[in-house]
Amino acid sequence: ERVYLIRRGAVRLSRVYESGEEITVALLRENSLFGVLSLLTGHRSDRFYHSVAFTRVEMVTAPASSVRQAIEADTSVGLLLLQGLSSRILQTETMIETLTHRDMSSRLVSFLLVLCRDFGMPGAQGITIDLRLS
């Protein structure tokens, strides 16, 4: 029932299933949105998501109803939301491409390249991915 905007840091968003299994659905960085499903459907979602900060995180949060009112009052807010959702769709498509029809080593290399692009910090010895991942 709330929309979240990550102002700084990195967050892992996962889906928790009834069986207790937890699957990562997105790795989010600065200026990423989540919690927009209730905004789009107008009611509370029956899906349960879990978010964990990988780094120190600063977030802004607002009730979905307030965000909806802001969109109705100013269409540029809706455009910003659409840009954020488009970015998430592209990230999801990239992850699907990374994880399908490849052997394990190719998937790992592709995933590391995505992490370098989205979370990498260039340095003297290469690119550092400062996230604790298992």
Side-chain angles (χ1 to χ4, degrees), residues 94-109:
T94 300
M95 289 302 291
I96 290 169
E97 291 169 1
T98 297
L99 297 174
T100 57
H101 307 298
R102 296 187 185 166
D103 60 88
M104 180 59 89
S105 60
S106 296
R107 289 195 311 252
L108 179 59
V109 168

Side-chain angles (χ1 to χ4, degrees), residues 22 37 40 51 53 59 72-73 75 77 97 103 105 117 127:
E22 186 173 359
L37 192 57
L40 299 173
S51 60
M59 294 175 56
E72 291 169 357
T75 56
V77 174
E97 291 169 1
D103 60 88
S105 60
R117 182 194 68 212
I127 298 175

